[in-house]
Structures are given as C-alpha cells and as structure tokens.
Amino acid sequence: MANNITFTMLKPDSVEKGNIGAILEKITSSGFRIVAMKLTQLTTADAEAFYAIHKDRPFFGDLVTYMTRGPIVAAILEKDNAVEDFRALIGATNPAEAAEGTIRNMFADSISENAVHGSDSDDNAAIESAFHFSGREMF
Ligand code: IDP
Ligand code: MG
C-alpha cells in the first residue's frame, strides 16, 4: 500500500474525557484527511487480536481491559508520509516524554492510558485499517 494512509484510535480515555472534538481538530488542522471514521467498542477478542504483538508483555492484561472498557473512535487518515507524520503528531508512547504540543502531551495521562493509537508502519496501517473497516466504509 502507498505510504499515504495511517490508522488511529481515539482510545477510551479520550472519549470519556470529552476530547474527541479537540483531538480531531488537531488531526485535521495538521493536514490529515479523514478517509473513514466510526464510534465503536472493542471486544476482548478484538483487543487481544489487535495488540497480539504485545501478548507476552506484563502490561497486556491491563491494556486489553483499558481498550475494551468503553467506546473508541476508529479512523483512517490520509496524508503524504502519513505513518511517520502521525507518529510525530501524537508524540512518544509515554506522555511524560511526548514533545510539547503533541496529542499525547496535551491529552494523555500515563504511558498506559495515552489517548491515541497510531500505526507504526505502512503494512500495519493497511492491516489495522482492514481490521476495522470494509472497503465501502472508506471514502
Ligand atoms: P505505541 O502506542 O506508542 O505504538 P506500543 O509500544 O505499541 O506503543 O504499545 C501499545 C500500547 O500499550 C501503548 O499505546 C500503551 O497504551 C500500552 N503500553 C505500552 N507500553 C506500556 C507500559 O510500559 N506500561 C503500560 N502500558 C503500556
Ligand atoms: Mg504500537
């Protein structure tokens, strides 16, 4: 797939805190076009599959509990160099290390509850987009 799409989730803490609008504004004003978007909730099986790469990490159980405890906003975003530019926009996994003005710096509370997901490669952007959306939900 071309290097112009990435996949994001506004995680349950962002929805709970009423930050959907503010985070989407930051994303679109940074030049990302919304290709697909929905409010949805992960099942335990969904979260375990989505984060399967982390299944042996000590935080895996807490991660699945966190990611399934309430609705999320899932979206596909388009921009040149989307994966790398979006990772720069969200900042480091640990918000304490995220640069000033990044989404995690502004909206995240901790390394575990860090507001947003961003794909880490073009391959994963394609896999994660297909996990959440059918072709007819993409515009
Ligand atoms: P990323 O979201 O920045 O790509 P990953 O290392 O892929 O970070 O981890 C996936 C998610 O798992 C993180 O966004 C965070 O919610 C959680 N996580 C990562 N590392 C830790 C940790 O050390 N403690 C608790 N939760 C963590
Ligand atoms: Mg990751």
Side-chain angles (χ1 to χ4, degrees):
M1 177 161 302
N3 66 343
N4 64 345
I5 68 130
T6 191
F7 173 77
T8 188
M9 295 183 285
L10 312 193
K11 297 181 175 183
D13 53 321
S14 294
V15 178
E16 289 159 7
K17 292 193 282 186
N19 287 336
I20 294 173
I23 294 174
L24 289 178
E25 201 288 322
K26 186 97 176 124
I27 290 171
T28 54
S29 68
S30 300
F32 293 87
R33 186 180 78 80
I34 297 170
V35 173
M37 185 166 68
K38 63 184 159 194
L39 188 68
T40 185
Q41 184 162 358
L42 298 176
T43 65
T44 297
D46 289 336
E48 287 174 350
F50 189 90
Y51 285 110
I53 192 167
H54 296 303
K55 67 178 177 352
D56 296 326
R57 307 285 289 278
F59 58 81
F60 185 68
D62 287 344
L63 175 60
V64 170
T65 299
Y66 159 53
M67 288 302 299
T68 58
R69 78 177 183 216
I72 61 163
V73 174
I76 303 172
L77 305 173
E78 180 183 63
K79 183 184 183 298
D80 287 346
N81 203 37
V83 166
E84 192 180 335
D85 286 2
F86 193 69
R87 294 292 301 203
L89 179 65
I90 68 177
T93 304
N94 185 350
E97 295 165 5
E100 190 76 22
T102 60
I103 291 173
R104 283 168 167 168
N105 169 264
M106 295 172 69
F107 298 104
D109 289 332
S110 68
I111 190 169
S112 51
E113 301 206 0
N114 58 6
V116 287
H117 169 81
S119 305
D120 63 6
S121 68
D122 290 339
D123 283 352
N124 282 336
I127 291 166
E128 293 169 0
S129 295
F131 186 93
H132 285 269
F133 294 99
S134 68
R136 55 189 292 280
E137 296 176 290
M138 300 177 196
F139 302 91

